[in-house]
Amino acid sequence: MRPISLLLILICSLWSGGCQQTRLTFTQVQAPKVPSFTAPTNAPALARRDFRPMAPPEVISLSDHVSLHRLPGTPSQLVGIHLLAVSPNAPYENLDILHTAFEQLSVKLANHHDLPCLEGLTVHPSIHGLRLSLKCPTSKLAQAVDILAQSWSSDAYGELDLPRLRRQLALDKHIRAFNGSEIEEVWAKKILGGEHPYTKALNNRALQQSLDEPQLLSLLAQTKAQSQWHLLLEGAPQVDDSLRERLATSLSQLGEQQRQTETFVDTFRPYGKQMFVIDAPGTVQTQVRIGYHLPLGQDDQEASAFACDALSRWLGRSVSGRLYFDLREQRGLTYGIYGRCFNNPMARILKYYGATQLQHTGAFIRGILDHLALAADAPPSDTELAALKTSQFSQLVLRLDNPQQRVEAYSQALARQARAESLTARLTRWQQLTPQALQAVAKGYFNQPPVIVIRGDLSRIRPDLEEKLPDWQLNVISID
């Protein structure tokens, strides 16, 4: 026997019980704590600023199926050009494939056209929209729009490297599995329901692996057929008759939207106290997703969307939100926990998300649930609500001052078919919100068990979960 082996045996014999894995000590549960918003002594007064919504963009009809929108510009000599396709009544299918194809096509366009600004072409996909964006000199506006319209033509895809495209899609899948983002796929299926159109719109692995040119062209034709078209121009000059005619001619090749007769019926049913677990042996942290599938009824949709957004901000708005203050700043259970409302035409989802170390898993999840219960049981203080309103107004001002976020917000509004005055209406709701009204909303939504999906080393966290959440059933989910 080698000397090093004898040394290991001797060292192990000195430990009681021999060599073994160190037992994990789990964090205790504590009552939720609410932040205080008392102004520090001698702190400068907060300057009051009345928010004034921007004037709505000028909308010009180029044809029966294409609209032009003139948005405020930026301090630049370039015109922001955005060709937006939206499908409000149905999600785009296999948009991940089309997005990857457009990114490859953007390189081809830059190499084949004598238009330097094409090198800045970017692709912005969403479940109900796809936007192609670039910035060009005013003199090149009509040419750039014509090239963007041609990028939707089947002729543009004849020279794409499909084997490379398939490899990129496969690589993206492996990257998602490696960095743990596979939890988002499971979360989507659970929070939406297995039969929801959104769950079937992406990650068609069979098509990704077998994709050929006829399949790609069929996908392109299907996407065009269900699209409404909008041309967004930032800082563009006045559109005279000559320019309008040229733009209309270029965009006429996009075709008209086909009528859709199918109507969506939401069949989601709550799961009760089931916790869905992705077992990831060897991981050193637990990823957590907790939230609610909110109904899309015949009531005031703008009010429901506002309620979802208000709850996400109240508890999960980063540093000043209740979850972040308590679970990170007070107890050190996480690097960060956040809330977000996903307000889409076919689903409204309230989501709280974060990650924690293994030894904090049960206390972290229990802490989130305790805060949901507390929000439903008691209203916020006047100072806490005032801080929430200040935060929201400030973020809104910053968002509208940022050209990229301004265009994105306007594009999403077009995809949702939101009213032009919806922003003003939301500001009014924030101004009129009372502590009792916010609690009433929380009580209405938080009176049932949320959907919970986690990813972690189940063998190490199971005892802690069963101890701190004894009335929750663990349901292990396998990943293909």
Side-chain angles (χ1 to χ4, degrees):
M1 182 179 294
R2 295 182 179 180
I4 190 170
S5 300
L6 292 173
L7 180 60
L8 285 175
I9 292 176
L10 177 60
I11 292 175
C12 288
S13 67
L14 296 177
W15 292 341
S16 60
C19 286
Q20 59 184 7
Q21 180 176 316
T22 303
R23 181 181 181 276
L24 219 60
T25 301
F26 289 98
T27 307
Q28 296 302 312
V29 170
Q30 298 180 16
K33 297 179 181 179
V34 178
S36 171
F37 292 91
T38 304
T41 304
N42 298 325
L46 184 65
R48 179 176 178 82
R49 175 179 176 181
D50 294 329
F51 179 79
R52 296 181 180 179
M54 296 177 57
E58 178 187 5
V59 181
I60 302 172
S61 176
L62 295 179
S63 66
D64 292 339
H65 60 282
V66 180
S67 298
L68 185 151
H69 306 253
R70 293 184 66 243
L71 280 66
T74 60
S76 170
Q77 299 300 317
L78 302 178
V79 177
I81 306 170
H82 312 271
L83 182 57
L84 173 65
V86 298
S87 175
N89 300 319
Y92 285 124
E93 295 185 6
N94 299 303
L95 192 61
D96 46 355
I97 296 177
L98 197 59
H99 177 207
T100 306
F102 265 112
E103 287 189 327
Q104 190 178 128
L105 178 64
S106 66
V107 178
K108 173 186 172 183
L109 293 176
N111 292 332
H112 283 69
H113 293 277
D114 186 19
L115 190 62
C117 62
L118 281 176
E119 296 180 3
L121 177 61
T122 55
V123 187
H124 305 269
S126 66
I127 195 69
H128 287 274
L130 181 63
R131 174 165 54 92
L132 306 180
S133 300
L134 72 164
K135 291 185 177 182
C136 293
T138 303
S139 60
K140 303 296 183 181
L141 171 59
Q143 181 185 0
V145 171
D146 188 63
I147 293 174
L148 290 182
Q150 291 178 17
S151 68
W152 283 93
S153 169
S154 58
D155 296 337
Y157 292 83
E159 299 179 10
L160 286 190
D161 188 345
L162 291 183
R164 179 187 173 192
L165 194 154
R166 291 192 296 266
R167 290 195 301 270
Q168 182 63 52
L169 291 168
L171 178 61
D172 292 343
K173 171 182 176 294
H174 288 296
I175 290 175
R176 289 195 301 271
F178 178 78
N179 64 18
S181 61
E182 61 187 0
I183 189 176
E184 297 299 341
E185 295 183 26
V186 177
W187 163 258
K189 291 179 181 178
K190 294 304 177 183
I191 196 67
L192 293 170
E195 298 303 316
H196 196 285
Y198 289 168
T199 65
K200 304 175 182 179
L202 302 173
N203 301 315
N204 185 339
R205 290 167 185 167
L207 180 59
Q208 292 175 1
Q209 294 172 1
S210 65
L211 185 68
D212 55 23
E213 185 173 343
Q215 290 173 321
L216 178 60
L217 296 182
S218 176
L219 174 58
L220 181 71
Q222 174 188 342
T223 305
K224 289 177 62 178
Q226 70 182 85
S227 294
Q228 301 172 8
W229 301 95
H230 302 272
L231 178 63
L232 281 53
L233 300 180
E234 292 180 280
Q238 291 294 330
V239 180
D240 56 25
D241 292 340
S242 175
L243 179 58
R244 177 175 177 174
E245 184 177 351
R246 290 187 64 185
L247 295 177
T249 300
S250 295
L251 298 174
S252 63
Q253 59 189 298
L254 296 172
E256 297 186 16
Q257 181 187 28
Q258 296 181 357
R259 293 183 177 273
Q260 298 173 352
T261 58
E262 296 184 3
T263 57
F264 168 67
V265 178
D266 193 353
T267 60
F268 175 81
R269 295 292 182 270
Y271 304 102
K273 291 190 173 183
Q274 290 191 68
M275 186 183 305
F276 299 99
V277 183
I278 304 171
D279 186 15
T283 54
V284 297
Q285 67 174 1
T286 303
Q287 296 171 276
V288 177
R289 306 289 184 267
I290 295 180
Y292 294 87
H293 182 121
L294 305 182
L296 290 173
Q298 300 301 320
D299 57 346
D300 188 340
Q301 294 300 305
E302 290 185 3
S304 299
F306 171 77
C308 177
D309 190 51
L311 292 177
S312 72
R313 303 297 182 182
W314 180 21
L315 303 186
R317 69 181 187 282
S318 186
V319 179
S320 56
R322 284 190 174 188
L323 293 174
Y324 193 102
F325 168 81
D326 188 8
L327 302 182
R328 170 174 171 156
E329 297 299 319
Q330 298 299 306
R331 301 181 58 192
L333 303 182
T334 180
Y335 281 116
I337 178 168
Y338 311 94
R340 187 177 174 188
C341 175
F342 296 84
N343 182 33
N344 289 308
M346 300 171 68
R348 183 172 295 122
I349 304 300
L350 175 59
K351 174 184 178 183
Y352 300 103
Y353 57 98
T356 188
Q357 293 183 352
L358 297 182
Q359 62 267 31
H360 301 323
T361 299
F364 183 63
I365 297 173
R366 177 69 178 273
I368 300 173
L369 297 179
D370 287 345
H371 271 285
L372 297 178
L374 178 61
D377 289 342
S381 65
D382 291 336
T383 54
E384 183 179 10
L385 183 59
L388 173 59
K389 291 182 178 182
T390 299
S391 171
Q392 288 310 105
F393 275 87
S394 300
Q395 286 192 16
L396 188 55
V397 171
L398 291 173
R399 189 179 303 125
L400 293 181
D401 280 345
N402 185 300
Q404 290 81 14
Q405 292 188 16
R406 188 168 59 229
V407 170
E408 178 63 21
Y410 189 69
S411 300
Q412 292 299 323
L414 291 174
R416 295 194 303 268
Q417 296 183 315
R419 298 182 304 162
E421 63 273 16
S422 60
L423 177 58
T424 302
R426 176 156 295 197
L427 288 172
T428 301
R429 293 184 189 278
W430 275 113
Q431 291 172 339
Q432 298 175 348
L433 184 64
T434 65
Q436 292 72 25
L438 186 55
Q439 181 209 353
V441 171
K443 188 173 183 179
Y445 289 153
F446 298 162
N447 62 354
Q448 60 179 334
V451 179
I452 301 181
V453 176
I454 69 174
R455 179 182 184 273
D457 190 333
L458 183 58
S459 65
R460 304 184 73 186
I461 63 177
R462 181 193 288 272
D464 189 48
L465 292 173
E466 292 176 344
E467 175 189 347
K468 293 185 173 66
L469 301 160
D471 51 347
W472 282 79
Q473 176 187 349
L474 302 183
N475 192 332
V476 181
I477 300 296
S478 60
I479 302 295
D480 297 333

